[in-house]
Amino acid sequence: MTNRKMFFTMLWGAVFRRRSRAMMAVIASLVGAATLFCLASVCVAVPQQMNEEMRAYGANLIVTPASATGKSQGIDTATVRNVTALVGAGHSVKSAAYRYESVRINSAPYTIAGVDVKAVRALNRHWNVTGDWPGSGNVMVGRDVADALGVKVGSRVTIGYRAADASASASSSASAKSDSDESTETAESSAQGTQSTQTTQGEQTTQATENGRVSSDIMDNNGTEFRIAGIVDTGGNEDSIIYATTADVSKLAGHERGADVVEYSVNAMGDELNAIVNRINKNTNTAVQAQTVTKITSSDTRIIAMLQTLFWIVSLVVLVLTLVGVGTTISSIVSQRRNEIGLRKALGADSRAIGVEFYVESGIYGLIGGLLGTAIGYVLARVLCATVFGRAIGFDWLLGAGSLLLSVAIAVIASIPPVRRATRIDPAIVLREE
């Protein structure tokens, strides 16, 4: 019998004659591989899954006109298409454009937003709307507006537009959007505050006098009657805005112009999202400026960082436990085979050959445990993602190969101390004990 054949015969006997010990070593590797593969799969899938889930809570990137001329004319449709192409390069993206105007209801100033209802609805799935979204001749008002006017779904309001009130509304709403990080939560939040200021400025400039007295134009309640189709309640600045279709706002204002703000929800975060912003800002042909919505992006980053930290902590604990489990099992096997090792050394077997046999045996335990553990880990990760996110994940073959190699490596590393003790056994002492 050749040495190689003898080696495999000894190895086969060592593995299958001591099934209980071998099973313990396999189980130790299996538990480690299953846990690590499940955690790694979830850690890889969670950032993308969470990013997609967070996109339901609004935009993470906004675009406003960069120049004074652009602020007065808004962002035209061609520019919106170009910017959307830049944002959507390699990413899935949703967008919605907003045109803001200052209007009056019962002589009080309000802000109305002209929107593409389908786009805004898809972008802001978290909005709680009672009734319907805007339509032709129908508006949707924020909760604060509804409370101030004392209206409900089905009520009718007369909305008046004064050119002097809105002379600078588009430019101010866009510029205020980029003044501070706090104002970037939504496009409407900054626009609403600035529109009120613009209306006040409009009042001051149009307070012409008649016979030494202020004109009564400010009390003019003429306008266009709209039906309130719905009330939106978000708990944010959206509650102070009136929403109408872009066509109705253009008809109310008597002219068409571009959007003041374009919001984007793109499945990118961190450095990747910042790279998109820089790419837009460096493109002088678009004449727009972009920035991230910091509250949304920081929430994404913080949650994902916490999950990844938890993954590494748990993974470290699992690695240590797997090392201890496999090492203890191999130590027990070495103790059981102490007499056999002594006899083989007395017959001329060298320490290297004995060590290689134990290392290969440990590697086999790690390989079997890794295969079973990876399969179980994938099932657990799939169930976890389906339960938490309602989505399935595919098998990552690169991660699977890494799991197998790691299982074998851990099993071999864990066997080093007991194998070193085995190779140091003095055959004379062992045979004397026999």
Side-chain angles (χ1 to χ4, degrees):
M1 183 178 291
T2 63
N3 290 338
R4 180 173 297 179
K5 188 174 181 180
M6 176 63 73
F7 174 81
F8 285 110
T9 300
M10 297 288 293
L11 189 62
W12 179 270
V15 172
F16 290 97
R17 281 203 309 269
R18 299 171 178 82
R19 293 187 182 89
S20 60
R21 299 293 181 182
M23 187 64 67
M24 290 176 61
V26 169
I27 290 175
S29 295
L30 182 152
V31 171
T35 306
L36 289 175
F37 185 83
C38 178
L39 288 173
S41 296
V42 172
C43 189
V44 170
V46 158
Q48 182 64 30
Q49 297 279 12
M50 282 208 56
N51 191 34
E52 293 179 5
E53 291 294 327
M54 290 293 287
R55 297 290 63 78
Y57 295 95
N60 57 351
L61 185 151
I62 60 168
V63 172
T64 56
S67 64
T69 303
K71 291 174 182 177
S72 63
Q73 297 178 353
I75 307 172
D76 59 45
T77 304
T79 302
V80 172
R81 282 198 299 266
N82 292 336
V83 174
T84 302
L86 288 174
V87 175
H91 301 89
S92 63
V93 62
K94 295 178 182 178
S95 64
Y98 300 81
R99 172 188 174 178
Y100 296 108
E101 299 290 353
S102 289
V103 295
R104 291 180 182 275
I105 302 177
N106 297 334
S107 302
Y110 291 95
T111 300
I112 190 168
V115 298
D116 179 334
V117 175
K118 185 178 180 181
V120 172
R121 191 170 186 173
L123 184 65
N124 299 289
R125 289 179 288 166
H126 66 291
W127 284 11
N128 181 22
V129 177
T130 303
D132 296 324
W133 286 71
S136 180
N138 295 274
V139 298
M140 179 176 70
V141 301
R143 171 56 61 187
D144 293 345
V145 177
D147 292 342
L149 296 175
V151 297
K152 59 184 180 180
V153 175
S155 299
R156 291 187 174 275
V157 293
T158 300
I159 301 177
Y161 175 82
R162 304 290 178 268
D165 289 350
S167 59
S169 61
S171 61
S172 297
S173 64
S175 61
K177 186 65 185 170
S178 59
D179 283 342
S180 67
D181 288 342
E182 290 300 320
S183 67
T184 59
E185 183 175 1
T186 59
E188 295 87 346
S189 62
S190 60
Q192 189 273 337
T194 56
Q195 294 287 358
S196 298
T197 303
Q198 293 146 14
T199 302
T200 302
Q201 293 171 346
E203 293 169 10
Q204 294 172 351
T205 59
T206 58
Q207 285 180 344
T209 60
E210 295 178 359
N211 299 323
R213 305 181 67 178
V214 176
S215 171
S216 60
D217 178 70
I218 190 174
M219 301 303 294
D220 186 358
N221 291 324
N222 292 328
T224 304
E225 187 177 70
F226 289 91
R227 175 182 174 273
I228 296 178
I231 298 174
V232 58
D233 189 354
T234 67
N237 291 287
E238 297 89 350
D239 295 355
S240 300
I241 306 289
I242 302 168
Y243 295 92
T245 63
T246 303
D248 278 349
V249 172
S250 296
K251 185 176 179 181
L252 182 67
H255 66 280
E256 294 184 357
R257 66 177 181 85
D260 297 308
V261 175
V262 182
E263 293 184 345
Y264 290 95
S265 178
V266 54
N267 64 335
M269 54 189 176
D271 293 338
E272 193 174 13
L273 184 60
N274 290 330
I276 295 174
V277 172
N278 292 334
R279 187 162 63 245
I280 295 172
N281 291 336
K282 290 178 180 179
N283 190 331
T284 57
N285 295 327
T286 57
V288 296
Q289 59 183 6
Q291 65 185 78
T292 60
V293 181
T294 55
K295 288 188 177 181
I296 297 294
T297 54
S298 62
S299 296
D300 282 359
T301 306
R302 184 170 60 253
I303 294 172
I304 292 170
M306 290 172 60
L307 289 173
Q308 290 176 335
T309 301
L310 179 63
F311 162 75
W312 287 113
I313 293 174
V314 174
S315 297
L316 182 61
V317 173
V318 171
L319 281 173
V320 172
L321 292 177
T322 303
L323 283 169
V324 171
V326 176
T328 302
T329 303
I330 298 300
S331 294
S332 177
I333 292 174
V334 169
S335 297
Q336 281 188 333
R337 298 175 60 184
R338 185 168 180 272
N339 294 337
E340 175 191 330
I341 295 169
L343 180 60
R344 289 176 61 185
K345 294 189 72 174
L347 293 175
D350 61 0
S351 298
R352 181 176 176 276
I354 294 173
V356 169
E357 180 183 328
F358 276 105
Y359 288 137
V360 173
E361 182 180 344
S362 300
I364 292 174
Y365 297 148
L367 180 63
I368 297 173
L371 283 169
L372 296 176
T374 299
I376 294 173
Y378 171 66
V379 173
L380 291 175
R382 191 178 178 87
V383 170
L384 184 61
C385 286
T387 302
V388 176
F389 298 103
R391 301 177 186 178
I393 61 171
F395 185 82
D396 190 327
W397 290 100
L398 183 62
L399 196 60
S403 176
L404 286 178
L405 292 176
L406 185 61
S407 297
V408 173
I410 290 175
V412 172
I413 292 172
S415 66
I416 291 176
V419 169
R420 287 174 64 87
R421 289 196 298 270
T423 57
R424 292 174 182 173
I425 291 177
D426 188 342
I429 297 177
V430 173
L431 293 175
R432 189 182 303 119
E433 291 176 354
E434 290 292 324

